Amino acid sequence: MANKETGAPANGLTYADSGVDIDAGDALVDRIKPLAASTRRPGAAADLGGFGGAFDLKAAGYDDPILISGTDGVGTKLKLAIATGKVDTVGIDLVAMCVNDILAQGAEPLFFLDYLATSKLDPERGADIVAGIAAGCRESGCALIGGETAEMPGMYEGEDFDLAGFVVGAAERGRLLPDHDRMSAGDVLIGLASSGVHSNGYSLVRKVVEVAGLDWPDPAPFAPQQSLGDALLAPTRLYVKACLPLIKAGLVNGLAHITGGGLVENPPRMTPKSLNPVIDYGAFELPPVFKWLAETGGIAESEMHRTFNCGIGMLLSVAREDVDQALSMLAENGETGIIVGELQAA
């Protein structure tokens, strides 16, 4: 029975009456504890439940480290995950967007924290999202040591949710990238393949899908064995295991993670003003998903290059005399490096 004057329940309002379910939050924490535990690595216990997470740099093997941090989200790719109900891979995207960035600074990812905000917390869906985050952390050798889940009815509606991530990594002092002192004209640019669109440009992707008159369950025109939704949700590739050995061996003098801004704006972020990274677009084939986007959307080549990764997710700058060794080490770690350009005097 409600209070006649205020309309409130006779026994008083509760947090649940406003749309926030504390029990659901507790249930989610219980479900994700083993996921976090699966990411344990030297230096981190990866236990959840405290007010903060601790990491022991000495136990991780560092003598004189510099900490490198990064934060990012998944962007409007989340709208595709929400529309299809497939949320188990966007956590990989979240981790990849963060750890690939600090890798470009020469850092080994050490620990990760996530932030999940939603209108109504569904423990099962939340666990699926965090399972993707844990998978990305395991693949990167990075411990998931904490995070935050926020249930905010009124801020988000229906099935909407948002994700953000925060990573901390380390490099020994004197080994940070880019190393401009070692860069010179003639250095070779080695590209590592992307797994698709990764996590940038999805507002344009969704516009192209709308123009094409397609729906997410339809067969993907560029990959008919998959639905369009599944094909476009291919998670961002993680480059830590392939690149970190080269960084530690001193074979790389610069890295560029190809995210927003594509192959136009990201490569110059690793070079001094005296050098220009020159990409040979004829050195690699444009993957089918990008051909379809360009043709269906009538997107100009210049716009493609500055919006999408166009098939190259990470770019390495390597001294010419080290190229063979770098390509060999990449192959040993499951990556096929492609020579896609060089540094030239500005």
Side-chain angles (χ1 to χ4, degrees):
M1 184 177 295
N3 184 302
K4 292 181 180 179
E5 294 183 4
T6 66
N11 58 349
L13 285 168
T14 67
Y15 212 1
D17 291 328
S18 66
V20 178
D21 189 342
I22 295 175
D23 291 335
D26 292 341
L28 176 59
V29 171
D30 287 339
R31 294 189 67 165
I32 65 178
K33 279 182 178 179
L35 295 172
S38 73
T39 69
R40 283 193 176 98
R41 55 152 295 151
D47 289 328
L48 299 183
F51 289 99
F55 193 92
D56 184 344
L57 284 168
K58 187 174 181 179
Y62 284 87
D63 296 318
D64 188 16
I66 299 292
L67 294 179
I68 309 292
S69 63
T71 187
D72 212 333
V74 185
T76 60
K77 190 174 186 176
L78 289 181
K79 291 187 73 68
L80 174 49
I82 293 165
T84 61
K86 182 177 171 59
V87 299
D88 58 336
T89 60
V90 287
I92 299 175
D93 289 298
L94 181 68
V95 174
M97 293 300 289
C98 294
V99 302
N100 287 342
D101 270 357
I102 68 164
L103 181 69
Q105 300 293 136
E108 175 188 7
L110 299 177
F111 62 87
F112 193 88
L113 298 99
D114 66 283
Y115 173 77
L116 167 62
T118 183
S119 62
K120 183 172 180 57
L121 189 59
D122 178 338
E124 183 174 351
R125 187 173 77 150
D128 285 343
I129 294 168
V130 177
I133 295 172
C137 285
R138 288 193 301 271
E139 176 67 20
S140 305
C142 184
L144 177 60
I145 66 170
E148 173 69 10
T149 302
E151 193 173 22
M152 298 191 290
M155 179 69 74
Y156 299 94
E157 299 294 337
E159 298 295 310
D160 285 351
F161 69 93
D162 199 7
L163 278 177
F166 178 81
V167 67
V168 172
E172 293 289 3
R173 192 179 303 273
R175 291 193 178 181
L176 298 177
L177 295 178
D179 189 340
H180 289 171
D181 292 338
R182 294 172 56 204
M183 286 185 174
S184 61
D187 285 357
V188 173
L189 297 176
I190 297 175
L192 302 183
S194 67
S195 54
V197 185
H198 282 186
S199 299
N200 299 101
Y202 273 82
S203 294
L204 181 53
V205 169
R206 291 184 296 110
K207 188 66 177 177
V208 172
V209 171
E210 179 185 330
V211 167
L214 295 174
D215 200 359
W216 305 123
D218 295 335
F222 51 89
Q225 72 281 9
Q226 292 182 285
S227 71
L228 181 60
D230 284 351
L232 289 173
L233 280 170
T236 305
R237 197 162 185 178
L238 293 147
Y239 297 101
V240 177
K241 286 186 176 179
C243 292
L244 199 57
L246 277 74
I247 294 171
K248 291 185 175 181
L251 294 175
V252 180
N253 53 40
L255 285 169
H257 183 202
I258 310 304
T259 55
L263 285 163
V264 174
E265 295 182 9
N266 287 293
R269 295 169 66 184
M270 71 173 172
T271 59
K273 293 182 179 180
S274 60
L275 295 171
N276 286 331
V278 178
I279 307 292
D280 176 8
Y281 290 101
F284 58 98
E285 187 175 356
L286 194 67
V289 61
F290 296 110
K291 290 180 181 178
W292 177 77
L293 287 168
E295 292 168 2
T296 306
I299 305 171
E301 186 176 48
S302 59
E303 186 70 11
M304 290 293 296
H305 291 165
R306 70 189 299 266
T307 303
F308 300 113
N309 65 64
C310 293
I312 301 296
M314 185 69 81
L315 201 63
L316 292 70
S317 174
V318 177
R320 191 166 292 275
E321 61 269 22
D322 292 330
V323 169
D324 288 345
Q325 186 179 355
L327 290 173
S328 177
M329 287 186 68
L330 286 168
E332 290 172 5
N333 289 287
E335 281 285 355
T336 300
I338 307 167
I339 295 176
V340 297
E342 66 175 13
L343 299 186
Q344 296 181 1

